[in-house]
Amino acid sequence: MEWLKMIRLNKLIPIITLSLSLATSLQASTWELSSDNTIVGLLMRGNTSQTSISYQYSQSQNRVNYKWSDILSFSTWVDLESYWASQSLTNSYIESINQRSSNLPISVYKQLYSRDNYRLSTTLKRAYMRIKFFKGDMVYGLQHYPLGVGKIWRPTDIMNQYNPLNQLASDRLGLVGVLYTYERSALSQWKIMIAHSRDSITHKGARLGFNVNGIDVSGVIINTEQNEILGFDMIGALGKTGVNIYSEFALNQDHNNGDRTVQAIIGFDTFINSMMSMGIEGFYNENTSAGDNAKYQQWNYPGKYYLGHIMQIQVSPLINYGSSTMINLSDKSVIILPKISVSIRNNIDALMGGSMVVGKENAEFKSYPQQVFIGISYYY
């Protein structure tokens, strides 16, 4: 009987997706609806237990934007997710993003059905309104706060961190609050950020961005309940070489013990040719304890020095290959995350990817499971 219930509920995913897709044909000029859907099968092998587990993962990302007027608009983003596993759903890889939303003033996660090896749930990822002014705008609601410039690591982004190791669900978890943007000039702007929980303000800060001789520079200060971050970032071209350089620095002070730690990155990226791009990124990390970041970061980095590499290749007009590599220079562990997408039709892609880890026992990335996945993504 439980299996019958599961099957019936699982049928909700294509039904809801089809309904949302049909709704796009009814768009008025003030409405925008879109749906991105992914269905994958995973085979995961733990590096410590040496046991293999198979997963089936489905995700439907549904977005609605409504423009009330030139001044006022509304946006929402709701995910419908389904997990099935050959063993109990206890692995941290497939734990829902809701686990990090307990400090929000609203409930964003709802389990529609749950058993030992199956879960059907829905998650509200974004829900906000935007009011435009003469020289800026104000956004209030569940949103992502724009911070940092790093491609792999972002030291200044403690408000909505994500997991770069998760190839299927790397969405940043939003916070509820206000983001006010004021355009001081064509090359300069202020951002004021406030986020709150049910009964208190959890984050408040400001970001000043400006452009100097073609280089974008920003300074940021963010105060949380546990710590304060003072940081800056920059991004620009390295002369006429065709290479972009970016950097980010964060000084973190703990309110409880007064300890100060530094995190910083420096990166370079470029197009090798019209079909290939690559970049490297170095990460210096004094903040090796979990601390306040554990609320927002889904993978705690215990090492002090890291090196990352990103590559994108358009093998043909229909085939794209991408990979990310992260190396803990302290314990010499390595993780490689390759991914291939093949365009089947204008709105359908086939996916294949996985993770490969190298390192000694008890090394950081050695604890991450080796896995392979294959699936399909379609959108409207």
Side-chain angles (χ1 to χ4, degrees):
M1 292 300 293
E2 298 299 334
W3 279 99
L4 290 174
K5 292 179 181 177
M6 182 189 76
I7 292 171
R8 292 192 192 103
L9 286 168
N10 203 26
K11 289 181 179 178
L12 285 173
I13 294 178
I15 292 172
I16 293 176
T17 300
L18 179 61
S19 300
L20 290 167
S21 302
L22 291 174
T24 61
S25 63
L26 303 176
Q27 293 181 28
S29 60
T30 54
W31 286 93
E32 292 181 4
L33 296 92
S34 63
S35 180
D36 298 334
N37 308 276
T38 304
I39 301 175
V40 299
L42 259 103
L43 182 63
M44 181 183 300
R45 181 177 176 85
N47 285 296
T48 54
S49 63
Q50 297 299 312
T51 58
S52 296
I53 305 174
S54 58
Y55 292 94
Q56 184 272 325
Y57 171 70
S58 301
Q59 182 188 57
S60 178
Q61 299 180 336
N62 303 287
R63 298 175 176 87
V64 178
N65 297 314
Y66 176 64
K67 185 178 179 182
W68 179 272
S69 65
D70 290 338
I71 297 176
L72 182 63
S73 62
F74 301 87
S75 298
T76 61
W77 170 6
V78 179
D79 279 5
L80 186 65
E81 297 175 310
S82 168
Y83 302 100
W84 175 88
S86 60
Q87 296 184 17
S88 178
L89 282 171
T90 57
N91 193 282
S92 60
Y93 181 85
I94 49 83
E95 282 300 314
S96 174
I97 202 169
N98 81 292
Q99 298 298 322
R100 301 184 181 274
S101 64
S102 59
N103 205 36
L104 295 177
I106 59 175
S107 177
V108 299
Y109 175 80
K110 176 66 176 178
Q111 276 196 169
L112 304 178
Y113 184 84
S114 179
R115 283 298 180 265
D116 189 46
N117 62 347
Y118 182 81
R119 182 179 303 162
L120 180 63
S121 63
T122 181
T123 306
L124 180 65
K125 294 289 184 66
R126 302 287 184 267
Y128 58 84
M129 68 174 182
R130 182 186 302 272
I131 304 174
K132 291 188 176 182
F133 301 104
F134 175 64
K135 282 194 172 184
D137 60 38
M138 182 179 69
V139 178
Y140 177 75
L142 179 62
Q143 60 182 297
H144 162 243
Y145 290 84
L147 292 167
V149 296
K151 304 297 176 62
I152 301 176
W153 299 284
R154 292 192 172 188
T156 61
D157 192 355
I158 65 168
M159 295 186 71
N160 30 228
Q161 293 201 10
Y162 72 114
N163 182 3
L165 302 181
N166 191 333
Q167 295 171 287
L168 299 177
S170 60
D171 314 317
R172 285 177 172 84
L173 173 63
L175 293 175
V176 175
V178 175
L179 173 62
Y180 174 69
T181 302
Y182 174 69
E183 304 288 345
R184 298 178 67 245
S185 68
L187 301 176
S188 177
Q189 67 174 207
W190 273 102
K191 289 184 181 293
I192 307 297
M193 300 165 282
I194 300 175
H196 62 90
S197 63
R198 286 184 173 86
D199 49 16
S200 65
I201 292 176
T202 58
H203 300 76
K204 52 182 180 289
R207 187 172 191 246
L208 172 63
F210 51 93
N211 184 282
V212 180
N213 297 324
I215 300 175
D216 292 324
V217 181
S218 296
V220 62
I221 181 170
I222 301 174
N223 191 290
T224 77
E225 296 172 305
Q226 284 79 27
N227 58 356
E228 184 175 68
I229 279 187
L230 181 66
F232 82 90
D233 59 67
M234 59 79 64
I235 183 169
L238 198 61
K240 297 182 179 181
T241 62
V243 177
N244 294 318
I245 180 173
Y246 57 91
S247 181
E248 193 171 335
F249 171 90
L251 175 64
N252 186 326
Q253 179 166 337
D254 191 289
H255 288 328
N256 297 322
N257 51 34
D259 289 347
R260 293 181 179 179
T261 56
V262 171
Q263 290 181 313
I265 64 163
I266 184 168
F268 305 87
D269 61 29
T270 186
F271 281 93
I272 306 300
N273 53 47
S274 61
M275 310 288 283
M276 180 179 180
S277 66
M278 65 169 47
I280 59 172
E281 185 171 305
F283 178 34
Y284 173 73
N285 177 41
E286 281 187 352
N287 189 20
T288 56
S289 61
D292 183 51
N293 284 5
K295 292 182 182 178
Y296 313 103
Q297 183 170 295
Q298 292 177 291
W299 186 270
N300 295 313
Y301 297 95
K304 195 169 185 177
Y305 301 99
Y306 291 85
L307 183 65
H309 176 263
I310 301 174
M311 180 168 58
Q312 295 286 337
I313 303 175
Q314 188 174 351
V315 181
S316 75
L318 301 179
I319 302 175
N320 286 281
Y321 170 81
S323 70
S324 298
T325 301
M326 283 164 266
I327 307 172
N328 183 329
L329 298 176
S330 303
D331 64 20
K332 307 301 188 295
S333 62
V334 182
I335 183 167
I336 304 171
L337 304 168
K339 186 177 181 180
I340 298 174
S341 65
V342 180
S343 178
I344 300 174
R345 292 181 57 184
N346 289 336
N347 63 333
I348 301 176
D349 294 334
L351 307 173
M352 184 171 65
S355 63
M356 297 175 285
V357 296
V358 178
K360 298 178 180 179
E361 294 299 327
N362 301 319
E364 176 186 1
F365 293 127
K366 191 67 175 178
S367 64
Y368 196 83
Q370 302 204 61
Q371 58 197 10
V372 62
F373 67 83
I374 185 169
I376 190 167
S377 176
Y378 53 100
Y379 46 91
Y380 300 92

